[in-house]
Amino acid sequence: MKDDCIFCKIANHVIESDYVYEDDLVAAFRDMNPLAPTHVLVMPKEHYETIVDGVPAQTLAAMVHAVEEVAKSEGVAETGFRVTTNTGADAGQVVQHLHLHVLGGKRLTDDLA
Ligand code: DGP
């Protein structure tokens, strides 16, 4: 855990949040500025800055599993949803702790770029 990282603190319950899924490796909680009816952040409990920061395969698999669990529990697995991860400055990454955005619950726009 990185002491000055807000997502480390939330993922490890140093600060509590609105969790929707959790296991040994991963936590998922609602984004504080939701862009869609479902906007959940899925992240590892260990600190990695981005998806290209040497994340172990087991952790990546746990994150994908968490996406499936969240999509099902949020009711968007059938209707459709989007998974994104902002990586670095050009993508506008604000929090430097790897996280996947799970967005759904409405018809999403095409403007990914
Ligand atoms: P980005 O790093 O660009 O993927 O954006 C970070 C996202 O994390 C943004 O949608 C807002 C959200 N966020 C930032 N700080 C907190 C927080 O303390 N709690 C929650 N629930 N969400 C946060």
Side-chain angles (χ1 to χ4, degrees), residues 6-7 10 17 29-33 39 41 86 92-95 99 101:
I6 183 71
F7 282 0
I10 296 175
S17 193
F29 53 87
R30 297 191 191 282
D31 194 293
M32 68 180 187
N33 295 318
H39 189 169
L41 304 173
N86 294 324
Q93 183 176 3
V94 172
V95 180
H99 53 281
H101 294 256

Side-chain angles (χ1 to χ4, degrees), residues 70-89:
V70 169
K72 287 177 177 169
S73 65
E74 291 289 306
V76 298
E78 296 294 329
T79 54
F81 63 97
R82 181 174 292 155
V83 180
T84 63
T85 182
N86 294 324
T87 305

